[in-house]
Amino acid sequence: SEKLKMAGQLAAGIAHEIRNPLTSLKGFSKLLMNATGEQAERYYEIMDQEFVRIEMILGELLVLAKPQQTSDYRAQDVRLIMHEVADLLSSQAILSNVIIQEQMTPEPCIVRCDKNQLKQVFVNIVKNAIEAMPTGGLLVIAIERDGEDVMVKVVDQGGGIPENILRRLGEPFFTTKEKGTGLGLMISHKIIEEHDGHIRYDSRSGEGTTVTIRLPQSSGGHRV
């Protein structure tokens, strides 16, 4: 029964992570109907990136059959990773009448991280914020240095999260979505912890939600 339970959790997690790029692909395929020239080329480029992401996720599934491999930690600028995510989810934002506003410090925000893992976290957080505003609104993504940390904030104008739900976010299979699994946030929490960071939610019903992620800035003595 334990093996069956683990297999079910794994299957649900993979389905969740593949659904994200598929949602983006569906959105851009609709936008392509009215796109021409450079705009159409840009949509094709983003769609190609999403196909690559699906291949990467399926590749991770195959890795599970082999000995565990170490993550690929390198110095990366968090601003660039988040900008890629904002681009990837722009079609879903447009279809939801959500405006994404990026407020990023001009200073490099370098952390040692596995880019694909961190991108997975950002996709999950930004996608949740867009879905929290079904009638549209402003989504602010702010990145700045704060002492020895890099601070990432994703602020939405959605309906907010009640306190009794807020404290349970990140639990496996706890979700407010009809077809959700709750594994997306659980995986995100685990990734942030493995990057020596932490994630916090500030929200009140009717007042939107702010997700704050703190990551240590890169230094010579940080993990490899």
Side-chain angles (χ1 to χ4, degrees):
S1 63
E2 281 299 312
K3 287 183 179 180
L4 284 173
K5 182 180 178 181
M6 289 177 64
Q9 290 176 334
L10 177 61
I14 293 165
H16 179 89
E17 297 308 324
I18 289 179
R19 189 182 296 129
N20 283 343
L22 282 179
T23 299
S24 182
L25 286 167
K26 286 171 64 178
F28 277 108
S29 66
K30 291 179 182 178
L31 292 173
L32 271 173
M33 294 174 67
N34 299 312
T36 57
E38 291 184 3
Q39 189 179 47
E41 289 180 11
R42 178 60 180 150
Y43 289 166
Y44 277 121
E45 180 184 337
I46 293 174
M47 290 175 73
D48 183 64
Q49 291 175 359
E50 291 294 73
F51 280 121
V52 170
R53 177 166 171 75
I54 291 174
E55 288 178 339
M56 181 199 73
I57 293 168
L58 294 176
E60 288 178 350
L61 175 60
L62 296 176
V63 168
L64 291 174
K66 303 175 183 178
Q68 187 64 37
Q69 298 179 359
T70 56
S71 298
D72 184 17
Y73 281 85
R74 300 185 185 185
Q76 302 277 356
D77 192 331
V78 175
R79 300 173 308 162
L80 301 181
I81 299 175
M82 181 60 90
H83 183 67
E84 287 182 15
V85 169
D87 264 358
L88 288 173
L89 295 178
S90 62
S91 67
Q92 185 178 349
I94 291 169
L95 293 172
S96 302
N97 199 29
V98 170
I99 297 171
I100 297 179
Q101 184 180 93
E102 297 179 52
Q103 299 177 359
M104 302 195 183
T105 177
E107 304 174 301
C109 294
I110 308 298
V111 302
R112 285 198 69 82
C113 66
D114 183 304
K115 180 180 177 180
N116 287 329
Q117 289 183 2
L118 209 55
K119 190 173 182 180
Q120 181 179 349
V121 173
F122 291 163
V123 165
N124 195 51
I125 299 299
V126 174
K127 186 171 181 290
N128 283 346
I130 293 171
E131 292 175 352
M133 297 183 282
T135 58
L138 178 65
L139 171 56
V140 176
I141 299 172
I143 298 180
E144 63 182 10
R145 292 182 182 178
D146 186 23
E148 296 183 353
D149 294 336
V150 170
M151 185 166 65
V152 179
K153 283 191 174 183
V154 178
V155 186
D156 68 54
Q157 294 180 329
I161 306 171
E163 186 177 345
N164 63 317
I165 292 177
L166 199 63
R167 60 173 175 260
R168 295 194 61 191
L169 292 179
E171 292 182 15
F173 297 104
F174 177 78
T175 178
T176 58
K177 299 179 183 179
E178 183 181 348
K179 297 181 180 179
T181 65
L183 291 176
L185 280 183
M186 185 193 76
I187 293 168
S188 296
H189 285 202
K190 186 173 185 295
I191 290 172
I192 295 301
E193 287 174 6
E194 289 175 350
H195 283 74
D196 299 330
H198 66 269
I199 185 168
R200 190 184 80 217
Y201 303 88
D202 296 294
S203 183
R204 290 184 180 178
S205 291
E207 296 183 14
T209 302
T210 298
V211 181
T212 304
I213 298 173
R214 283 183 174 272
L215 295 163
Q217 288 191 62
S218 178
S219 63
H222 195 60
R223 63 190 290 178
V224 177

